[in-house]
Amino acid sequence: MMYGGMRGIKGLVTETSVLDPDEGIRFRGYTIPECQERLPKAPGGDEIIPEGLFWLLLTGDIPTDDQVRALSKDWADRAAIPSHVSQMLNNFPTTLHPMSQFSAAIIAMNSESKFVEAYAKGVHKSTYWEYAYEDAMNLIAKLPTVAAIIYRNLYREGTAVCPINTELDWSANFCAMLGYDDKVFIDLIRLYLVLHSDHEGGNVSAHATHLIGSALSDPYLSFAGGMNGLAGPLHGLANQEVLLWLTRLRESLGGEVSDEQLTKFIWETLQSGQVVPGYGHAVLRKTDPRYFAQREFALKHLPDDPLFKLTSQLYKVVPDILLEQGKAKNPWPNVDAHSGVLLQYYGLTEMNYYTVMFGVSRALGTMASLIWDRALGLPLERPKSMSTEGLKKLMGAS
C-alpha cells in the first residue's frame, strides 16, 4: 500500500462526504438522488443549486429556500476581485494554461486574507475558524469572476465580464459572466458544480488543500495547492482525455458504428497498452452515481445527440470487455465519461478550460472541510515515512 499510492490506507477524517465503493458518494449522509430531492432549486430551474449543497456540507443540515437565497446574495456581494488580480490576469499571455492562471490568481488573492491578518494580530486559536470561514466564503464567491475573466481573455478576445447580478444565484452569475444565457445550460452548470464539489478527503485536490491548511496556511494558499494537484492528468484532466479519445474513435470509425466495430476498436486500444478513459475509479466498484445523474440530464435534454448516443453505446459495450480482459477492478464509467459530452453539446467546447470549472466546483467541498479543520483545531499533518531498507528490516526480510 505504501508503494501503491496509499490506496485503501485509512488515515484521514473528512466529515463532508464519504465514498462507498458500491454505493458511491454520500454528502453528509445523503446520496445524490436524495440531495436532488431535498435540496432547494433555483426559481424556474430543475436542478439543485450549489449554495444548498455547500450549506449541507458545512452544517450537515438541509437548508430552506430562504437560507439558500440569502447565501446566493452573500456570495454575490463578495464576488468582486482585487484590481491587482484583474490586472495580473489581463497581462498573462494567452499561451499560459487556464489552470496556471487560475492557481496564480487564487494565490494573489491571499492579499485579502482575513486569516492572515488575524493570525498576525495573535488572535486565540479557538477563533481561527471564524477567519477561515470569512476567507472561504470570499474565495468561493470570487472564483466564478476569476474563472470567467480567464475564459473571456483566452476564448472571447479579452472582452469584459458582465457585472454581478445580486438577484441571480452563483451558477447563473457564472454563466452570465462566461457569456451564456440558455436556461438549460445554466441548469447543466448547476448540476456540474454540485457533482464535482466533493469526493471525500483522499483525492489529490482535497487532500492537498487539507495538508497545506494543516500548516495554518490561509484558505487561498491552501486551495491554490489543491488546484495545482487538480491540474494533473491523473486527476482533473480526465474528462478532457475522454473527449479526445471519443474524437479519435469517431475519426477512425466514422459516424454511426455497430457494437462489433466498437468492440474491435476498444480491444485494439487496450492491446496497444492504452486505457479506455472515463472507465474505472480508485475507490468505486460500481457505476459512478454522478455518471447516472448526468446521463439522466442528457436523456431529458439531448437524447438524439450523436456524441451522447456514442457515450451510451460505450456504456453498453465497454464494461464486458474490461471484465473479459481481467485487469480492471472497476469496469464501470465514472463522472468523466459524461461531463465533457454535455458541455460540448451546449457550445462550451474549449477543453483546456474544463478543469477550471472543476476547480470552481471543488472549492465547495474543500472549503467546508477546511473551516471544520480549523474549528476542530486539527494539528499539523506529518505522517511517518520509511526507506525501503527500513521496511525490509521491519518485515524481517533479508
Side-chain angles (χ1 to χ4, degrees):
M1 294 170 84
M2 294 172 73
Y3 287 97
M6 297 193 290
R7 298 278 177 91
I9 292 178
K10 295 178 176 64
L12 295 169
V13 175
T14 303
E15 304 292 355
T16 52
S17 65
V18 174
L19 181 59
D20 182 87
D22 296 315
E23 191 177 52
I25 195 69
R26 279 183 176 267
F27 300 120
R28 288 286 187 168
Y30 294 97
T31 65
I32 289 173
E34 288 170 343
C35 287
Q36 290 176 312
E37 179 183 344
R38 300 186 186 197
L39 289 174
K41 297 177 174 60
D46 294 327
E47 299 294 335
I48 62 175
I49 61 175
E51 289 91 324
L53 182 70
F54 178 74
W55 189 291
L56 173 64
L57 294 177
L58 185 60
T59 69
D61 297 329
I62 298 289
T64 65
D65 287 350
D66 287 343
Q67 287 170 329
V68 165
R69 304 291 173 259
L71 184 53
S72 295
K73 176 69 164 55
D74 190 7
W75 284 354
D77 289 339
R78 297 171 183 255
I81 66 174
S83 59
H84 71 86
V85 176
S86 299
Q87 183 177 356
M88 180 182 71
L89 287 170
N90 291 333
N91 286 335
F92 279 145
T94 56
T95 53
L96 186 61
H97 193 281
M99 280 301 287
S100 300
Q101 298 190 34
F102 192 54
S103 172
I106 294 165
I107 290 175
M109 289 195 297
N110 147 275
S111 62
E112 313 303 299
S113 175
K114 304 299 183 185
F115 184 89
V116 168
E117 181 182 347
Y119 188 85
K121 291 179 179 178
V123 300
H124 194 274
K125 63 182 180 180
S126 65
T127 66
Y128 285 172
W129 73 270
E130 298 174 19
Y131 305 100
Y133 170 83
E134 289 299 322
D135 278 2
M137 290 285 282
N138 286 329
L139 174 60
I140 292 170
K142 297 176 191 305
L143 286 178
T145 308
V146 170
I149 291 173
I150 293 169
Y151 181 80
R152 299 192 73 86
N153 281 347
L154 291 178
Y155 310 117
R156 294 295 183 270
E157 299 180 345
T159 51
V161 300
C162 65
I164 290 288
N165 183 342
T166 57
E167 299 302 314
L168 295 180
D169 62 90
W170 191 59
S171 305
N173 266 312
F174 186 22
C175 291
M177 288 188 289
L178 291 174
Y180 293 84
D181 58 5
D182 181 272
K183 290 183 178 180
V184 180
F185 178 79
I186 295 170
D187 248 1
L188 170 61
I189 297 306
R190 291 179 182 125
L191 176 66
Y192 184 99
L193 296 176
V194 164
L195 294 181
H196 290 77
S197 62
D198 205 35
H199 221 224
E200 73 170 32
N203 65 77
V204 171
S205 54
H207 187 197
T209 301
H210 164 77
L211 173 62
I212 297 168
S214 78
L216 295 186
S217 296
D218 66 76
Y220 296 97
L221 298 181
S222 302
F223 186 66
M227 291 302 93
N228 291 336
L230 187 69
L234 297 184
H235 191 10
L237 296 188
N239 60 6
Q240 180 176 329
E241 293 184 348
V242 169
L243 281 174
L244 292 172
W245 185 79
L246 288 175
T247 300
R248 290 196 297 270
L249 189 159
R250 297 178 79 181
E251 289 174 350
S252 298
L253 303 182
E256 291 190 13
V257 298
S258 66
D259 289 353
E260 291 73 21
Q261 289 175 295
L262 203 53
T263 298
K264 183 174 182 292
F265 183 87
I266 293 164
W267 273 115
E268 289 174 351
T269 297
L270 295 172
Q271 289 165 354
S272 70
Q274 302 176 65
V275 299
V276 179
Y279 282 76
H281 191 273
V283 178
L284 285 169
R285 295 297 173 261
K286 294 288 178 67
T287 299
D288 192 335
R290 299 174 299 173
Y291 173 92
F292 280 137
Q294 293 180 111
R295 176 173 170 78
E296 290 173 4
F297 185 96
L299 286 169
K300 180 178 180 180
H301 296 290
L302 49 138
D304 298 322
D305 175 60
L307 205 54
F308 168 61
K309 291 169 76 173
L310 179 58
T311 301
S312 296
Q313 192 176 4
L314 287 167
Y315 182 38
K316 182 172 68 173
V317 172
V318 170
D320 287 340
I321 295 174
L322 294 179
L323 285 171
E324 183 179 342
Q325 184 196 33
K327 293 183 179 180
K329 293 181 179 179
N330 172 20
W332 307 106
N334 57 52
V335 67
D336 300 307
H338 222 311
S339 54
V341 172
L342 296 174
L343 295 172
Q344 290 271 315
Y345 178 82
Y346 287 99
L348 207 161
T349 58
E350 298 86 4
M351 289 186 287
N352 274 349
Y353 186 74
Y354 291 174
T355 315
V356 174
M357 298 179 65
F358 193 161
V360 172
S361 171
R362 188 47 59 96
L364 301 174
T366 56
M367 290 299 99
S369 289
L370 196 64
I371 293 166
W372 275 106
D373 289 350
R374 300 288 73 78
L376 296 172
L378 296 187
L380 177 70
E381 188 174 291
R382 181 39 171 105
K384 172 68 177 147
S385 64
M386 298 186 71
S387 66
T388 299
E389 186 62 32
L391 284 172
K392 286 181 178 180
K393 291 179 180 179
L394 182 67
M395 301 305 295
S398 58

